[in-house]
Amino acid sequence: MKTSLPVKALLVFDAAMRHNSFALAAEELHVTPGAVGQQIQKLEAWLGVTLFTRMVRQIHPTAEALQYWSNIQPALTRLQHASEQIRLRQVNEVWLSMPPTLAAKWFAPRMAGFLAQRPEISLHLGATTAISDFERDRVDLAIRYFDGEDASLESTLLYRDEVRLYCAPGYVKELRLQVPSDLVRATLLHTTLQPHWKSWLQRFSTLSDVQIDAIPHLHFDQSLLAIETARYGQGAVLSSAILTEAELRAGTLCEPFECRLPVTKGYYVVHLKGTPLRPAALALKNWLLQVARAESLS
């Protein structure tokens, strides 16, 4: 009679496949490479197939290993996630992820308010452009800039968005920007988040497409860098209002034209649908929405 499935060996196999290395798998699992090799051999004996070809300081997964891993990896991920949810249910910690510019420009100035209200909660903030995978990553909540449509997520609107134009007051004066068509003399700062310059100019200026395409431009993958470039008088940027609050208060940026382009996207608080939030995460979500509501009424 065949013995029971060696579950521990499955976890070791998963780590070895993810790292493509016994040594790195051992480092993650806090065991020796030899122990990893023993578990892999145990799994190979149970399955009756070879999972890796071993070479000097190298391993290569076999076709059977690749097929087997693709079948079991989603189940292992769900098992890990479900186990962590139970283990962390009463832990006063919460993991929040959001884009770097939003973290620096909007969340950081307000974070002390949450920590003062709930000092017993330990907050872990991840500022990243990567989209969080709630079944794989350690994250309870994320703030995502999108249209709110994702069948796998519970999405709650934090802020509706519209595209606004900003530049330094000195830049407005230097280029004599009186109407949107005067931007033909400007440098346009494009961002991945707000790639709407052509639509904005087509709607609010009298410039032709040929004139628009001829305007000098710079591209940024981070809105934070584009906003800073505009603040130093190096161009005009399209941005969300919640990312330029500090600069407007300080007078280092201004909105020379009240020409605001509606968009279908906004900032949403999201988490995995069908998975109850732990108390600490629910407290943070409620606080985020409370702050947004209060500011929209002010």
Side-chain angles (χ1 to χ4, degrees):
M1 180 181 292
K2 207 162 214 180
T3 59
S4 300
L5 175 67
V7 177
K8 181 179 179 181
L10 289 181
L11 300 177
V12 173
F13 170 66
D14 177 56
M17 289 295 291
R18 284 188 285 105
H19 293 291
N20 197 32
S21 165
F22 284 3
L24 293 177
E27 185 177 326
E28 176 187 316
L29 298 170
H30 304 291
V31 297
T32 65
V36 169
Q38 289 173 6
Q39 288 296 323
I40 296 298
Q41 289 174 356
K42 185 176 182 180
L43 183 59
E44 288 175 325
W46 195 90
L47 293 172
V49 299
T50 298
L51 296 173
F52 295 94
T53 56
R54 282 81 162 173
M55 302 177 67
V56 178
R57 297 183 180 177
Q58 285 186 322
I59 59 168
H60 295 287
T62 63
E64 289 87 351
L66 293 169
Q67 180 63 48
Y68 185 52
W69 191 52
S70 71
N71 289 334
I72 69 169
Q73 207 273 335
L76 291 175
T77 299
R78 290 195 297 272
L79 176 63
Q80 178 74 19
H81 181 76
S83 302
E84 285 193 351
Q85 286 296 311
I86 292 176
R87 184 175 67 85
L88 297 173
R89 188 169 291 164
Q90 300 306 319
V91 174
N92 274 329
E93 292 183 282
V94 58
W95 282 262
L96 173 66
S97 175
M98 68 181 70
T101 303
L102 186 69
K105 295 292 188 181
W106 182 81
F107 185 70
R110 293 164 174 80
M111 181 171 57
F114 175 72
L115 299 177
Q117 189 179 106
R118 300 299 300 268
E120 78 282 6
I121 293 178
S122 178
L123 174 63
H124 302 263
L125 176 61
T128 176
T129 57
I131 296 178
S132 300
D133 184 333
F134 287 91
E135 293 188 343
R136 182 195 65 206
D137 303 331
R138 173 167 282 187
V139 58
D140 297 297
L141 296 170
I143 300 178
R144 186 177 295 180
Y145 185 77
F146 73 133
D147 60 6
E149 298 296 326
D150 188 322
S152 68
L153 299 178
E154 187 75 35
S155 303
T156 308
L157 182 66
L158 192 67
Y159 285 103
R160 295 192 185 280
D161 197 25
E162 58 183 3
V163 178
R164 303 186 183 194
L165 182 146
Y166 299 99
C167 48
Y171 195 71
V172 175
K173 184 177 180 181
E174 178 187 350
L175 271 63
R176 305 183 307 281
L177 301 180
Q178 298 179 358
V179 295
S181 295
D182 292 337
L183 288 165
V184 72
R185 299 189 290 272
T187 297
L188 307 183
L189 308 179
H190 293 254
T191 66
T192 303
L193 193 67
Q194 299 287 12
H196 303 298
W197 266 117
K198 192 157 192 174
S199 298
W200 192 96
L201 288 166
Q202 286 173 335
R203 178 161 181 169
F204 298 116
S205 80
T206 59
L207 300 175
S208 68
D209 286 352
V210 172
Q211 288 175 303
I212 292 171
D213 291 341
I215 300 174
H217 54 267
L218 298 173
H219 289 269
F220 299 84
D221 63 356
Q222 292 285 340
S223 298
L224 182 64
L225 298 176
I227 291 169
E228 283 295 288
T229 302
R231 187 170 72 86
Y232 282 105
Q234 301 300 307
V237 66
L238 296 179
S239 180
S240 306
I242 65 171
L243 303 182
T244 57
E245 296 171 330
E247 289 78 12
L248 289 175
R249 282 195 302 269
T252 55
L253 285 181
C254 67
E255 188 180 3
F257 317 117
E258 287 198 14
C259 300
R260 297 166 181 179
L261 183 70
V263 290
T264 58
K265 294 182 179 181
Y267 293 92
Y268 288 80
V269 181
V270 301
H271 56 88
L272 196 63
K273 184 174 287 186
T275 302
L277 287 174
R278 296 182 295 104
L282 182 59
L284 177 58
K285 177 183 177 180
N286 290 338
W287 177 83
L288 288 167
L289 298 176
Q290 180 185 17
V291 168
R293 282 195 299 268
E295 293 181 350
S296 67
L297 294 174
S298 61

